[in-house]
Amino acid sequence: MSWLEKLIPSRIRTEGSQKKAVPEGLWAKCPACDAVLYRAELERNLDVCPKCAHHMRIGARRRLEAFLDEAPRSEIGAELEPVDALKFRDLKKYKDRLTQAQKATGEKDALIGMQGQVKGMPLVAAAFEFRFMGGSMGSVVGERFVRCVDTAIENNIPFVCFSASGGARMQEALFSLMQMAKTSAALAKMSKRGIPFISVMTDPTMGGVSASLAMLGDINVAEPKALIGFAGPRVIEQTVRQTLPEGFQRSEFLLEHGTVDMIIDRREMRDRLVKVLTMLSGQPAA
Amino acid sequence: MNMNFLEFEQPIAELEAKIEELRYVGSDSEINISEEIARLQTKSRELTESIFSKLDAWQVSQLARHPQRPYTLDYIERIFTDFEELHGDRAFADDPAIVGGIARLEGRPIMVIGQQKGRDTTEKLKRNFAMPRPEGYRKAKRLMEMAERFKMPIFTFIDTPGAYPGIDAEERGQSEAIARNLFVMAQLKTPIVCSVIGEGGSGGALAIGVGDRLLMLQYSTYSVISPEGCSTILWKSAEKAAEAAEVMGITAGRLKELGLVDQVVAEPLGGAHRDMDAMAQRLKSALLENLEVLDSIPLDKLLETRYQRLMQYGNYAEA
């Protein structure tokens, strides 16, 4: 600390050498347009930048809270917890990574499922928590997803899943790969009963999650500018040694290539999905 | 270094070289050295047995990728008759990284599908190192649905480093192509026997890997990501591939212990490439045995069992 800094009364002195661009808490900065945003307003706007409509990543629980009606709501598969069956260890133990992720997010694993309603329409909704080990799919994610499907089948109500995931969870090795088959099989069963599944892909939806449940929607929806694909852009660039085309693997690119049905702004998600779901379930317009 | 042998096999290679040398000397000399040759051959076999009895996961993954390892078409030729290859996904192209077609197994019409690696550089490139593109998965799906219509059992041979990380593959929706196969295979009304014959690489492997039985050859591997990929991501260095292979548990034996694989098919001493015919015979017997069991199960029961089998994958605690 220089003599000059020492002169400044401690209550207005900022610690550390690097100045924070935006003070913690009250203000946030849009990573896309750099606009400084009032956090309360941003939250009211579902973390979509009011200036440039950039969709920031949001947590699973907030996502479901924003999507579902306030009541009734009941969580599905909350009692499921991950275990480290392989005693997996890389630079850190898987067990420690789990504890760390659980502490950081307050969740047991990377998928949250709920039975509830949207504008009075009963349905099941699930969302991936990307902050939990990159939203990676292991055994608990797979099992919770299947239980959501089962709940939808039992109650004959639609299922909407918001994905945000880097893919399969490496620490559960082949068990993770098999979750792709497991979740897809459950969706096949649900599809045969004529129950709608809407997959909403948010930023990012990659790897094993993209190559299973996320692409199997009766209707595939994407949020604007989300990164969606199988192989990561860096891996592709290293393999083919070519510059990737502009907007590669973004929602708009997928729409153009016929992979998703529509792109929906987060702020219109409830209205648009209910509209679609009433039609798929043969109900009168809401 | 003898390129027919992997690094850990070099002691065997040295012995074999010595035997060759003696044979050469023996043919134009008076001295009877056949006894010495026999002695060395026994020694070589014992050495091979000893080395192969304690292979680590990384060594197994090298065997699974051995340049002389039998590939899908080698097995098709030896196990089936009347093979007719069928091409194309009817929408975009034919993907040479996956071969498929109708054939007979002991006279019975069947459908066979597998990833195909190339032997020489030209073929390797043509086959894209057995890394399928979306049209490959979609061809496989088309053939599997055809098999269902004509009541043919399906045999798949898995041997791929993984899906192709290319711009075109992404443009044509490889995620959807893989996902769709998982979805379709789970409900297909015909018996499906999947065998990992070499590398079972991630989503590209699983895309033809959902069925009633999962077999693995003794020195094949099956994993969610390549050991090199795992090492790069989790250790932030490409050098820990051996460690990654070990901790992921990618070998047939380990996966059988974990309940993810139904049957391990033993390979000839030194690996499948040392005796392709014998390996094909063993695999054929295993396929026939499994088919016989599956044949005896009524179709609705078969599908229910397949579904339950998929549902039980996973480890978790219930609080």
Side-chain angles (χ1 to χ4, degrees):
Chain A
M1 200 181 290
S2 71
W3 63 271
L4 185 68
E5 281 168 300
K6 280 183 191 154
L7 288 177
I8 304 170
S10 64
R11 67 196 149 81
I12 60 166
R13 198 161 61 201
T14 46
E15 292 292 338
S17 54
Q18 79 267 42
K19 270 185 277 171
K20 279 197 184 121
V22 175
E24 202 63 60
L26 207 52
W27 299 90
K29 195 170 164 185
C30 171
C33 72
D34 283 348
V36 176
L37 308 165
Y38 183 46
R39 191 177 286 279
E41 192 196 340
L42 182 61
E43 275 174 25
R44 269 197 305 279
N45 213 35
L46 302 176
D47 283 25
V48 176
C49 173
K51 300 273 192 299
C52 74
H54 174 70
H55 283 52
M56 300 174 199
R57 291 176 182 173
I58 67 171
R61 217 161 272 276
R62 256 199 82 207
R63 162 85 63 183
L64 293 176
E65 264 158 30
F67 181 64
L68 294 169
D69 296 345
E70 256 175 65
R73 280 182 199 168
S74 62
E75 200 167 332
I76 299 166
E79 64 281 10
L80 299 169
E81 291 181 10
V83 294
D84 175 21
L86 298 173
K87 305 263 176 293
F88 195 99
R89 182 187 189 137
D90 46 82
L91 291 175
K92 271 189 213 159
K93 286 186 192 162
Y94 177 38
K95 241 176 89 182
D96 296 342
R97 283 189 194 270
L98 281 173
T99 317
Q100 207 178 18
Q102 286 167 343
K103 245 177 149 172
T105 60
E107 304 296 346
K108 288 289 180 205
D109 213 311
L111 184 81
I112 299 169
M114 277 189 194
Q115 184 176 353
Q117 295 184 350
V118 177
K119 302 182 127 197
M121 176 184 225
L123 49 68
V124 175
F128 278 77
E129 177 53 69
F130 188 73
R131 288 179 311 136
F132 195 106
M133 298 187 74
S136 56
M137 176 159 70
S139 300
V140 170
V141 170
E143 180 65 20
R144 280 189 183 168
F145 187 87
V146 168
R147 292 196 187 182
C148 286
V149 168
D150 288 343
T151 309
I153 293 176
E154 266 164 46
N155 297 281
N156 198 20
I157 51 177
F159 179 28
V160 178
C161 179
F162 297 87
S163 42
S165 171
R169 187 172 297 168
M170 276 174 284
Q171 289 85 352
E172 292 188 27
L174 203 65
F175 285 104
S176 297
L177 190 74
M178 293 307 173
Q179 302 311 307
M180 293 170 64
K182 178 172 172 171
T183 53
S184 302
L187 287 174
K189 180 176 166 186
M190 189 169 90
S191 176
K192 251 173 82 182
R193 314 275 168 102
I195 296 170
F197 172 54
I198 295 189
S199 168
V200 184
M201 292 172 253
T202 77
D203 187 57
T205 299
M206 301 298 291
V209 169
S210 159
S212 61
L213 60 98
M215 283 293 169
L216 293 173
D218 291 297
I219 294 179
N220 287 340
V221 176
E223 279 195 340
K225 294 199 177 76
L227 184 75
I228 301 164
F230 184 67
R234 253 180 311 157
V235 176
I236 296 174
E237 213 156 31
Q238 281 162 15
T239 310
V240 301
R241 298 182 190 286
Q242 272 176 275
T243 324
L244 302 177
E246 179 76 19
F248 182 64
Q249 292 183 321
R250 295 287 167 184
S251 305
E252 296 70 18
F253 178 92
L254 270 80
L255 185 69
E256 195 185 314
H257 285 86
T259 310
V260 299
D261 291 280
M262 52 175 95
I263 297 173
I264 300 183
D265 187 300
R266 189 179 294 160
R267 293 162 293 186
E268 296 167 9
M269 199 64 79
R270 271 165 63 89
D271 291 344
R272 297 274 302 273
L273 291 191
V274 166
K275 180 179 155 200
V276 164
L277 282 171
T278 50
M279 286 192 261
L280 293 184
S281 344
Q283 291 170 14
Chain B
M1 194 169 130
N2 187 334
M3 297 310 284
N4 283 334
F5 291 88
L6 297 167
E7 210 182 317
F8 64 87
E9 294 178 298
Q10 286 309 313
I12 307 168
E14 279 162 30
L15 259 179
E16 290 293 325
K18 217 180 267 176
I19 294 169
E20 270 313 296
E21 230 170 78
L22 271 178
R23 276 212 185 102
Y24 183 70
V25 173
S27 63
D28 56 15
S29 89
E30 308 283 293
I31 326 153
N32 186 353
I33 44 166
S34 61
E35 242 174 69
E36 177 64 7
I37 289 179
R39 195 185 64 81
L40 285 178
Q41 277 171 335
T42 315
K43 205 174 155 196
S44 166
R45 198 171 48 245
E46 281 167 2
L47 186 64
T48 310
E49 273 167 16
S50 135
I51 288 176
F52 274 74
S53 67
K54 41 180 190 282
L55 294 179
D56 62 33
W58 182 234
Q59 290 167 333
V60 171
S61 87
Q62 288 166 277
L63 277 170
R65 298 168 180 174
H66 198 290
Q68 290 168 340
R69 196 164 173 87
Y71 299 147
T72 292
L73 285 171
D74 298 313
Y75 288 114
I76 290 181
E77 191 184 307
R78 286 168 177 80
I79 294 175
F80 307 105
T81 58
D82 302 281
F83 176 60
E84 283 291 343
E85 188 174 351
L86 304 173
H87 295 273
D89 69 343
R90 296 288 187 271
F92 181 76
D94 182 44
D95 183 1
I98 291 187
V99 296
I102 47 177
R104 288 179 188 274
L105 175 62
E106 297 282 312
R108 174 172 175 188
I110 59 96
M111 184 68 74
V112 56
I113 297 162
Q115 288 102 357
Q116 177 66 32
K117 292 185 174 176
R119 223 29 102 182
D120 56 36
T121 311
T122 318
E123 203 200 350
K124 280 186 166 78
L125 287 171
K126 176 186 153 200
R127 305 278 183 197
N128 198 30
F129 305 89
M131 291 184 287
R133 290 185 164 88
E135 47 275 21
Y137 307 120
R138 289 175 180 141
K139 167 171 69 179
K141 182 180 74 119
R142 179 174 77 85
L143 299 186
M144 291 190 279
E145 285 170 338
M146 188 198 296
E148 180 185 49
R149 278 199 302 283
F150 298 112
K151 303 190 169 42
M152 295 170 170
I154 297 167
F155 295 96
T156 71
F157 294 140
I158 296 166
D159 190 13
T160 175
Y164 179 56
I167 296 173
D168 55 341
E170 293 290 327
E171 282 174 338
R172 294 195 291 278
Q174 72 175 338
S175 286
E176 193 275 344
I178 294 171
R180 189 60 56 192
N181 280 17
L182 310 180
F183 186 93
V184 167
M185 290 182 92
Q187 300 257 338
L188 218 54
K189 294 188 192 71
T190 190
I192 307 171
V193 179
C194 310
S195 309
V196 186
I197 58 168
E199 274 183 281
S202 186
L206 187 65
I208 57 164
V210 179
D212 303 298
R213 287 286 186 279
L214 179 57
L215 278 51
M216 277 182 82
L217 302 196
Q218 189 178 3
Y219 303 128
S220 65
T221 59
Y222 199 179
S223 61
V224 67
I225 184 172
S226 70
E228 290 87 345
C230 182
S231 160
T232 309
I233 297 174
L234 292 182
W235 278 267
K236 322 256 179 253
S237 133
E239 255 108 77
K240 299 285 186 180
E243 217 169 306
E246 202 63 52
V247 71
M248 282 197 295
I250 63 176
T251 62
R254 177 82 176 117
L255 293 169
K256 175 86 174 32
E257 273 170 25
L258 292 170
L260 290 165
V261 165
D262 301 295
Q263 188 180 338
V264 179
V265 185
E267 295 194 18
L269 183 60
H273 57 288
R274 299 275 173 229
D275 193 343
M276 234 184 245
D277 293 330
M279 185 69 251
Q281 269 315 309
R282 288 186 195 184
L283 182 56
K284 183 179 178 180
S285 316
L287 296 181
L288 282 166
E289 270 167 42
N290 280 286
L291 183 61
E292 201 188 325
V293 177
L294 297 177
D295 270 337
S296 68
I297 306 170
L299 215 47
D300 52 343
K301 176 88 189 301
L302 185 76
L303 290 189
E304 180 55 26
T305 313
R306 187 187 302 162
Y307 188 78
Q308 290 311 331
R309 195 177 124 81
L310 291 168
M311 290 308 120
Q312 51 86 27
Y313 286 138
N315 300 292
Y316 46 81
E318 243 168 300

